[in-house]
Coordinates of all heavy atoms in Angstrom, one line a residue:
L30 N -26.8 50.1 -11.2 CA -25.8 49.2 -10.7 C -25.2 49.8 -9.5 O -24.8 51.0 -9.5 CB -24.8 48.9 -11.8 CG -23.8 47.8 -11.5 CD1 -24.4 46.5 -11.2 CD2 -22.8 47.7 -12.7
V31 N -25.1 49.1 -8.4 CA -24.5 49.6 -7.2 C -23.3 48.7 -6.9 O -23.4 47.5 -6.8 CB -25.6 49.5 -6.0 CG1 -24.9 49.9 -4.7 CG2 -26.8 50.3 -6.3
Y32 N -22.2 49.4 -6.7 CA -20.9 48.7 -6.5 C -20.6 48.5 -5.0 O -19.9 47.6 -4.7 CB -19.8 49.5 -7.1 CG -19.8 49.6 -8.6 CD1 -20.3 50.7 -9.3 CD2 -19.4 48.4 -9.3 CE1 -20.4 50.7 -10.7 CE2 -19.5 48.4 -10.7 CZ -19.9 49.5 -11.4 OH -20.0 49.5 -12.7
N33 N -21.2 49.3 -4.1 CA -21.0 49.1 -2.7 C -21.8 47.9 -2.2 O -23.1 48.0 -2.2 CB -21.4 50.4 -2.0 CG -21.1 50.3 -0.5 OD1 -21.0 49.2 0.1 ND2 -20.9 51.5 0.1
P34 N -21.2 46.8 -1.8 CA -22.0 45.6 -1.3 C -23.0 45.9 -0.2 O -24.0 45.2 -0.1 CB -20.9 44.7 -0.9 CG -19.6 45.2 -1.4 CD -19.8 46.6 -1.6
T35 N -22.7 46.9 0.7 CA -23.6 47.1 1.8 C -24.9 47.8 1.3 O -25.9 47.9 2.0 CB -22.9 48.0 2.9 OG1 -22.5 49.2 2.3 CG2 -21.7 47.2 3.4
K36 N -24.8 48.4 0.1 CA -26.0 49.1 -0.4 C -26.8 48.3 -1.5 O -27.8 48.8 -1.9 CB -25.6 50.5 -1.0 CG -25.0 51.4 0.0 CD -24.6 52.7 -0.6 CE -24.1 53.7 0.5 NZ -23.8 55.0 -0.1
R37 N -26.2 47.2 -1.9 CA -26.9 46.4 -2.9 C -28.0 45.6 -2.4 O -28.1 45.2 -1.2 CB -25.8 45.3 -3.4 CG -25.0 45.8 -4.6 CD -24.2 44.7 -5.1 NE -22.8 45.1 -4.9 CZ -21.8 44.3 -4.9 NH1 -22.0 43.0 -5.0 NH2 -20.6 44.7 -4.7
I38 N -29.0 45.3 -3.3 CA -30.1 44.4 -2.9 C -29.5 43.0 -2.9 O -28.6 42.6 -3.6 CB -31.2 44.5 -4.0 CG1 -32.4 43.8 -3.6 CG2 -30.7 44.2 -5.4 CD1 -33.6 44.1 -4.5
S39 N -30.1 42.2 -1.9 CA -29.5 40.8 -1.8 C -30.1 39.9 -2.8 O -31.1 40.2 -3.5 CB -29.9 40.3 -0.4 OG -31.3 40.0 -0.3
A40 N -29.5 38.7 -3.0 CA -30.0 37.8 -4.0 C -31.4 37.3 -3.7 O -32.2 37.2 -4.6 CB -29.0 36.6 -4.0
L41 N -31.7 37.1 -2.4 CA -33.1 36.7 -2.0 C -34.1 37.8 -2.3 O -35.2 37.6 -2.7 CB -33.1 36.3 -0.5 CG -32.6 34.9 -0.2 CD1 -32.6 34.7 1.3 CD2 -33.3 33.8 -1.0
E42 N -33.7 39.1 -2.1 CA -34.6 40.2 -2.4 C -34.8 40.3 -3.9 O -35.9 40.6 -4.3 CB -34.0 41.5 -1.9 CG -34.0 41.6 -0.4 CD -33.2 42.8 0.1 OE1 -32.1 43.1 -0.4 OE2 -33.6 43.4 1.1
I43 N -33.8 39.9 -4.7 CA -34.0 39.9 -6.1 C -35.0 38.8 -6.5 O -35.9 38.9 -7.3 CB -32.7 39.7 -6.9 CG1 -31.8 40.9 -6.7 CG2 -32.9 39.3 -8.3 CD1 -30.4 40.7 -7.1
C44 N -34.8 37.6 -5.9 CA -35.8 36.5 -6.1 C -37.2 36.8 -5.7 O -38.1 36.3 -6.3 CB -35.3 35.2 -5.4 SG -33.8 34.5 -6.0
A45 N -37.4 37.7 -4.7 CA -38.7 38.1 -4.3 C -39.3 39.2 -5.1 O -40.4 39.6 -4.8 CB -38.6 38.4 -2.8
H46 N -38.5 39.7 -6.0 CA -39.0 40.9 -6.8 C -40.3 40.5 -7.6 O -40.5 39.3 -8.0 CB -37.9 41.3 -7.8 CG -38.2 42.6 -8.5 ND1 -39.0 42.6 -9.6 CD2 -37.9 43.8 -8.2 CE1 -39.1 43.9 -10.0 NE2 -38.4 44.6 -9.2
N47 N -41.1 41.4 -7.9 CA -42.4 41.2 -8.6 C -42.1 40.6 -10.0 O -43.0 39.9 -10.5 CB -43.1 42.5 -8.8 CG -43.6 43.1 -7.4 OD1 -43.7 42.3 -6.5 ND2 -44.0 44.3 -7.4
F48 N -41.0 40.8 -10.6 CA -40.7 40.2 -11.9 C -40.9 38.7 -11.9 O -41.2 38.1 -12.9 CB -39.2 40.6 -12.3 CG -38.8 40.0 -13.6 CD1 -39.2 40.7 -14.8 CD2 -38.1 38.9 -13.7 CE1 -38.8 40.2 -16.0 CE2 -37.7 38.4 -14.9 CZ -38.1 39.0 -16.1
F49 N -40.6 38.1 -10.7 CA -40.7 36.6 -10.6 C -42.0 36.1 -10.0 O -42.1 34.9 -9.7 CB -39.5 36.1 -9.8 CG -38.2 36.4 -10.4 CD1 -37.3 37.4 -9.8 CD2 -37.7 35.8 -11.5 CE1 -36.1 37.7 -10.4 CE2 -36.5 36.1 -12.1 CZ -35.7 37.0 -11.5
D50 N -43.0 37.0 -9.9 CA -44.3 36.6 -9.3 C -44.9 35.4 -10.0 O -45.5 34.5 -9.4 CB -45.3 37.7 -9.3 CG -45.1 38.7 -8.2 OD1 -44.2 38.4 -7.3 OD2 -45.7 39.8 -8.2
D51 N -44.8 35.3 -11.3 CA -45.3 34.1 -12.1 C -44.7 32.8 -11.6 O -45.4 31.8 -11.6 CB -45.2 34.3 -13.6 CG -46.1 35.3 -14.2 OD1 -47.1 35.7 -13.5 OD2 -45.8 35.8 -15.3
L52 N -43.5 32.8 -11.2 CA -42.8 31.6 -10.8 C -43.4 31.1 -9.4 O -43.2 29.9 -9.1 CB -41.3 31.8 -10.7 CG -40.6 32.1 -12.0 CD1 -39.1 32.3 -11.8 CD2 -40.8 30.9 -13.0
R53 N -44.0 32.0 -8.7 CA -44.5 31.7 -7.4 C -46.0 31.3 -7.5 O -46.6 30.9 -6.5 CB -44.3 32.8 -6.4 CG -42.9 32.9 -5.9 CD -42.7 34.0 -4.9 NE -42.9 35.3 -5.4 CZ -42.0 36.0 -6.0 NH1 -40.8 35.5 -6.2 NH2 -42.2 37.3 -6.4
N54 N -46.6 31.5 -8.7 CA -48.0 31.2 -8.9 C -48.1 29.7 -9.1 O -47.5 29.1 -10.0 CB -48.5 32.0 -10.1 CG -49.9 31.7 -10.4 OD1 -50.5 30.7 -10.0 ND2 -50.5 32.6 -11.2
P55 N -48.9 29.0 -8.3 CA -49.1 27.6 -8.4 C -49.7 27.1 -9.7 O -49.5 25.9 -10.1 CB -49.9 27.1 -7.2 CG -50.6 28.4 -6.8 CD -49.7 29.5 -7.2
D56 N -50.3 28.0 -10.4 CA -50.9 27.7 -11.7 C -50.0 27.8 -12.9 O -50.3 27.4 -14.0 CB -52.2 28.5 -12.0 CG -53.3 28.3 -10.9 OD1 -53.4 27.1 -10.5 OD2 -54.0 29.2 -10.6
T57 N -48.8 28.3 -12.7 CA -47.8 28.5 -13.8 C -47.3 27.1 -14.2 O -47.0 26.3 -13.4 CB -46.6 29.4 -13.3 OG1 -47.2 30.7 -13.0 CG2 -45.6 29.6 -14.4
R58 N -47.2 27.0 -15.5 CA -46.8 25.7 -16.1 C -45.6 25.9 -17.1 O -45.5 27.1 -17.6 CB -47.9 25.0 -16.9 CG -49.1 24.6 -16.0 CD -48.8 23.3 -15.3 NE -49.9 22.9 -14.5 CZ -49.7 22.5 -13.2 NH1 -48.6 22.6 -12.6 NH2 -50.7 22.1 -12.6
L59 N -44.9 24.9 -17.3 CA -43.8 25.0 -18.3 C -44.5 25.0 -19.7 O -45.7 24.7 -19.9 CB -42.9 23.7 -18.2 CG -42.1 23.6 -17.0 CD1 -41.4 22.2 -16.9 CD2 -41.1 24.7 -16.9
P60 N -43.7 25.4 -20.8 CA -44.3 25.5 -22.1 C -44.9 24.1 -22.6 O -45.9 24.1 -23.3 CB -43.2 25.9 -23.0 CG -42.3 26.7 -22.1 CD -42.4 26.0 -20.7
N61 N -44.4 23.0 -22.1 CA -45.0 21.7 -22.5 C -46.2 21.3 -21.6 O -46.7 20.2 -21.7 CB -43.9 20.6 -22.4 CG -43.4 20.3 -21.0 OD1 -43.9 20.9 -20.0 ND2 -42.4 19.5 -20.9
G62 N -46.6 22.2 -20.7 CA -47.8 21.9 -19.8 C -47.4 21.3 -18.5 O -48.3 21.2 -17.7
G63 N -46.2 20.9 -18.3 CA -45.8 20.3 -17.1 C -45.6 21.3 -16.0 O -45.5 22.5 -16.2
P64 N -45.6 20.8 -14.7 CA -45.4 21.7 -13.6 C -43.9 22.2 -13.5 O -43.0 21.6 -14.1 CB -45.7 20.8 -12.4 CG -45.3 19.5 -12.8 CD -45.7 19.4 -14.3
L65 N -43.8 23.4 -12.9 CA -42.4 23.9 -12.6 C -41.7 23.0 -11.7 O -42.3 22.4 -10.8 CB -42.5 25.3 -12.1 CG -43.1 26.4 -12.9 CD1 -43.2 27.7 -12.2 CD2 -42.3 26.6 -14.2
P66 N -40.4 22.9 -11.7 CA -39.6 22.2 -10.7 C -39.7 23.0 -9.4 O -40.1 24.1 -9.4 CB -38.2 22.2 -11.3 CG -38.1 23.4 -12.1 CD -39.5 23.6 -12.7
P67 N -39.3 22.3 -8.3 CA -39.3 23.0 -7.0 C -38.4 24.3 -7.1 O -37.2 24.1 -7.4 CB -38.8 22.0 -6.0 CG -38.9 20.7 -6.7 CD -38.9 21.0 -8.1
L68 N -39.0 25.4 -6.8 CA -38.2 26.7 -6.9 C -38.1 27.4 -5.5 O -37.3 28.3 -5.4 CB -38.9 27.6 -7.8 CG -39.1 27.1 -9.3 CD1 -39.9 28.1 -10.1 CD2 -37.7 26.9 -9.9
T69 N -38.7 26.8 -4.5 CA -38.7 27.5 -3.2 C -38.2 26.6 -2.1 O -38.6 26.7 -1.0 CB -40.1 28.1 -2.8 OG1 -41.0 27.0 -2.8 CG2 -40.5 29.2 -3.8
D70 N -37.4 25.6 -2.5 CA -36.9 24.6 -1.5 C -35.5 25.1 -1.0 O -34.5 24.4 -1.0 CB -36.8 23.2 -2.1 CG -35.9 23.2 -3.4 OD1 -35.6 24.2 -3.9 OD2 -35.5 22.1 -3.7
F71 N -35.6 26.3 -0.4 CA -34.3 26.9 0.2 C -34.0 26.2 1.5 O -34.8 25.8 2.3 CB -34.6 28.4 0.5 CG -34.9 29.2 -0.8 CD1 -36.2 29.6 -1.1 CD2 -33.9 29.6 -1.6 CE1 -36.5 30.3 -2.2 CE2 -34.1 30.3 -2.7 CZ -35.4 30.7 -3.0
S72 N -32.7 26.2 1.8 CA -32.2 25.7 3.1 C -32.4 26.8 4.1 O -32.4 28.0 3.7 CB -30.8 25.2 3.0 OG -29.9 26.3 2.9
Q73 N -32.4 26.5 5.4 CA -32.4 27.5 6.4 C -31.2 28.4 6.3 O -31.3 29.6 6.6 CB -32.6 26.9 7.8 CG -33.9 26.2 8.0 CD -34.1 25.6 9.4 OE1 -33.5 26.2 10.3 NE2 -34.8 24.6 9.5
E74 N -30.1 27.8 6.0 CA -28.9 28.6 5.8 C -29.0 29.7 4.7 O -28.6 30.8 4.8 CB -27.7 27.7 5.5 CG -26.4 28.5 5.4 CD -25.2 27.5 5.2 OE1 -25.3 26.3 5.3 OE2 -24.1 28.1 4.9
E75 N -29.6 29.3 3.6 CA -29.8 30.2 2.5 C -30.8 31.4 2.9 O -30.6 32.5 2.4 CB -30.4 29.5 1.3 CG -29.4 28.6 0.6 CD -30.1 27.7 -0.4 OE1 -31.2 27.1 -0.2 OE2 -29.5 27.6 -1.5
L76 N -31.7 31.1 3.8 CA -32.7 32.1 4.2 C -32.3 32.9 5.3 O -32.9 33.9 5.7 CB -34.0 31.4 4.5 CG -34.7 30.7 3.3 CD1 -36.0 30.0 3.8 CD2 -35.0 31.6 2.2
R77 N -31.2 32.5 6.0 CA -30.7 33.2 7.2 C -30.4 34.7 6.8 O -29.8 35.0 5.8 CB -29.4 32.6 7.7 CG -28.9 33.2 9.0 CD -27.8 32.4 9.6 NE -28.2 31.0 9.8 CZ -27.4 30.0 9.5 NH1 -26.3 30.2 8.8 NH2 -27.9 28.8 9.7
G78 N -30.9 35.6 7.6 CA -30.6 37.0 7.5 C -31.7 37.7 6.6 O -31.6 38.9 6.5
A79 N -32.6 37.0 5.9 CA -33.6 37.6 5.1 C -34.6 38.2 6.0 O -35.0 37.7 7.0 CB -34.2 36.6 4.2
S80 N -35.2 39.3 5.6 CA -36.3 40.0 6.3 C -37.5 39.1 6.2 O -37.7 38.4 5.3 CB -36.5 41.4 5.8 OG -37.2 41.3 4.5
V81 N -38.4 39.3 7.2 CA -39.7 38.6 7.2 C -40.5 39.0 6.0 O -41.1 38.2 5.3 CB -40.5 39.0 8.5 CG1 -41.9 38.4 8.4 CG2 -39.8 38.4 9.7
E82 N -40.4 40.3 5.6 CA -41.1 40.7 4.4 C -40.6 40.0 3.1 O -41.4 39.5 2.3 CB -40.9 42.2 4.2 CG -41.6 42.8 2.9 CD -41.3 44.2 2.8 OE1 -40.1 44.6 2.9 OE2 -42.2 45.0 2.5
T83 N -39.3 39.8 3.0 CA -38.8 39.0 1.9 C -39.2 37.6 1.9 O -39.6 37.0 0.9 CB -37.2 39.1 1.9 OG1 -36.9 40.5 1.7 CG2 -36.6 38.3 0.7
L84 N -39.1 37.0 3.1 CA -39.5 35.6 3.3 C -41.0 35.3 2.9 O -41.3 34.4 2.2 CB -39.3 35.1 4.7 CG -37.8 35.0 5.1 CD1 -37.7 34.7 6.6 CD2 -37.0 34.0 4.3
E85 N -41.8 36.3 3.4 CA -43.3 36.1 3.1 C -43.6 36.3 1.6 O -44.5 35.6 1.1 CB -44.1 37.1 3.9 CG -44.1 36.8 5.4 CD -44.9 37.8 6.2 OE1 -45.1 38.9 5.8 OE2 -45.3 37.4 7.3
K86 N -42.8 37.1 0.9 CA -43.0 37.2 -0.5 C -42.4 36.0 -1.3 O -43.0 35.5 -2.3 CB -42.3 38.5 -1.0 CG -42.3 38.8 -2.4 CD -43.6 39.4 -2.9 CE -43.4 39.7 -4.4 NZ -44.6 40.3 -4.9
L87 N -41.3 35.5 -0.8 CA -40.5 34.5 -1.5 C -41.1 33.1 -1.4 O -41.1 32.3 -2.3 CB -39.1 34.5 -1.0 CG -38.1 33.7 -1.7 CD1 -37.9 34.1 -3.2 CD2 -36.7 33.8 -1.1
I88 N -41.6 32.7 -0.2 CA -42.0 31.4 0.1 C -43.6 31.4 0.0 O -44.2 32.0 0.9 CB -41.6 30.9 1.5 CG1 -40.0 31.1 1.6 CG2 -42.0 29.4 1.7 CD1 -39.2 30.3 0.7
P89 N -44.2 30.6 -0.9 CA -45.6 30.5 -1.0 C -46.2 30.0 0.3 O -45.6 29.2 1.0 CB -45.9 29.6 -2.1 CG -44.6 29.5 -2.9 CD -43.5 29.8 -1.9
T90 N -47.4 30.4 0.7 CA -48.1 30.0 1.9 C -48.1 28.5 2.0 O -47.9 27.9 3.1 CB -49.5 30.6 1.9 OG1 -49.4 32.0 1.8 CG2 -50.2 30.3 3.2
S91 N -48.4 27.8 0.9 CA -48.5 26.4 0.9 C -47.2 25.7 1.2 O -47.2 24.5 1.6 CB -49.0 25.9 -0.5 OG -48.0 26.2 -1.5
Q92 N -46.0 26.3 1.1 CA -44.7 25.8 1.4 C -44.2 26.2 2.8 O -43.1 25.7 3.2 CB -43.7 26.2 0.4 CG -44.1 25.7 -1.0 CD -44.1 24.2 -1.1 OE1 -43.2 23.5 -0.6 NE2 -45.2 23.6 -1.7
R93 N -44.8 27.0 3.5 CA -44.3 27.6 4.8 C -44.3 26.6 5.9 O -43.5 26.7 6.8 CB -45.1 28.8 5.2 CG -44.9 29.9 4.2 CD -45.6 31.2 4.6 NE -45.5 32.2 3.5 CZ -46.1 33.3 3.6 NH1 -46.8 33.7 4.6 NH2 -45.9 34.1 2.5
G94 N -45.0 25.5 5.8 CA -45.0 24.5 6.8 C -43.7 23.7 6.8 O -43.4 22.9 7.7
N95 N -42.9 23.9 5.8 CA -41.6 23.2 5.7 C -40.5 23.9 6.4 O -39.4 23.4 6.4 CB -41.2 23.0 4.2 CG -42.2 22.2 3.4 OD1 -42.8 21.2 4.0 ND2 -42.4 22.5 2.2
Y96 N -40.8 25.0 7.1 CA -39.8 25.8 7.7 C -40.2 26.0 9.2 O -41.3 25.9 9.6 CB -39.7 27.2 7.0 CG -39.2 27.1 5.6 CD1 -40.1 27.0 4.5 CD2 -37.9 27.0 5.3 CE1 -39.7 26.8 3.2 CE2 -37.4 26.8 4.0 CZ -38.3 26.8 3.0 OH -37.9 26.6 1.7
P97 N -39.2 26.3 10.1 CA -39.4 26.5 11.5 C -40.4 27.6 11.8 O -40.5 28.6 11.1 CB -38.1 26.9 12.1 CG -37.1 26.5 11.0 CD -37.8 26.6 9.7
S98 N -41.2 27.4 12.9 CA -42.1 28.4 13.3 C -41.4 29.6 13.7 O -40.2 29.6 14.1 CB -42.9 27.9 14.5 OG -42.1 27.6 15.6
G99 N -42.0 30.8 13.5 CA -41.4 32.0 13.8 C -40.7 32.7 12.6 O -40.3 33.9 12.7
M100 N -40.5 32.0 11.5 CA -39.9 32.6 10.4 C -40.8 33.5 9.6 O -40.4 34.5 9.1 CB -39.5 31.5 9.4 CG -38.1 31.0 9.4 SD -37.7 29.8 8.2 CE -36.5 30.7 7.2
F101 N -42.1 33.3 9.7 CA -43.1 34.1 9.0 C -44.0 34.7 10.0 O -44.7 34.1 10.8 CB -43.9 33.2 8.0 CG -43.1 32.5 7.1 CD1 -42.7 31.2 7.3 CD2 -42.6 33.1 5.9 CE1 -41.9 30.4 6.4 CE2 -41.8 32.4 5.0 CZ -41.4 31.1 5.3
C102 N -44.2 36.0 9.9 CA -45.0 36.8 10.9 C -46.5 36.5 10.6 O -47.0 36.6 9.5 CB -44.8 38.3 10.6 SG -45.7 39.3 11.7
G103 N -47.1 35.9 11.7 CA -48.5 35.7 11.6 C -49.0 34.5 10.8 O -50.1 34.3 10.5
T104 N -48.0 33.6 10.3 CA -48.4 32.5 9.6 C -48.0 31.2 10.3 O -46.9 31.1 10.8 CB -47.5 32.5 8.2 OG1 -47.8 33.7 7.5 CG2 -47.9 31.3 7.4
P105 N -48.9 30.3 10.5 CA -48.6 29.1 11.3 C -47.6 28.2 10.4 O -47.8 28.0 9.3 CB -50.0 28.4 11.4 CG -50.9 29.0 10.5 CD -50.3 30.4 10.1
T106 N -46.6 27.8 11.1 CA -45.6 26.9 10.5 C -45.3 25.8 11.5 O -45.7 25.8 12.6 CB -44.3 27.6 10.1 OG1 -43.8 28.2 11.3 CG2 -44.5 28.7 9.1
R107 N -44.6 24.8 11.0 CA -44.2 23.7 11.9 C -43.2 24.1 12.9 O -42.4 25.1 12.7 CB -43.7 22.5 11.1 CG -42.3 22.7 10.6 CD -41.9 21.4 9.8 NE -40.7 21.7 9.1 CZ -39.5 21.3 9.5 NH1 -39.3 20.7 10.6 NH2 -38.4 21.6 8.8
S108 N -43.1 23.4 14.1 CA -42.2 23.8 15.1 C -40.9 23.1 14.9 O -40.8 22.1 14.3 CB -42.7 23.4 16.5 OG -43.9 24.1 16.7

């Protein structure tokens, strides 16, 4: 536990942690067999200040077209 806010991991970095990889897997299903609800529909404001590395881990490739170009290094997105 880190008490100094400048040294803490951000909320988005936590969401991008490997622990949550299954939630980013398009084949993951709910216990009843249904699809997961949208989990990566972040607003641009929510993503502001996140590193490219965090964004690339957090937002699946299939969803990157919903965000402005330049957000993801080397990945084509919409303008």
Side-chain angles (χ1 to χ4, degrees):
L30 186 60
V31 177
Y32 292 101
N33 183 337
T35 61
K36 294 182 180 181
R37 271 186 244 162
I38 188 170
S39 73
L41 285 177
E42 290 169 324
I43 292 168
C44 291
H46 189 276
N47 294 342
F48 180 82
F49 298 107
D50 281 352
D51 285 342
L52 296 176
R53 289 184 289 278
N54 181 341
D56 297 325
T57 299
R58 297 280 181 233
L59 294 172
N61 68 3
L65 294 175
L68 300 174
T69 58
D70 57 345
F71 299 100
S72 70
Q73 289 182 34
E74 183 178 351
E75 290 171 315
L76 297 176
R77 188 174 299 131
S80 70
V81 170
E82 180 183 46
T83 297
L84 293 174
E85 287 180 343
K86 175 83 177 183
L87 190 60
I88 309 296
T90 305
S91 62
Q92 299 297 315
R93 293 181 188 176
N95 298 326
Y96 295 94
S98 61
M100 263 182 117
F101 304 96
C102 182
T104 303
T106 57
R107 73 179 170 100
S108 298

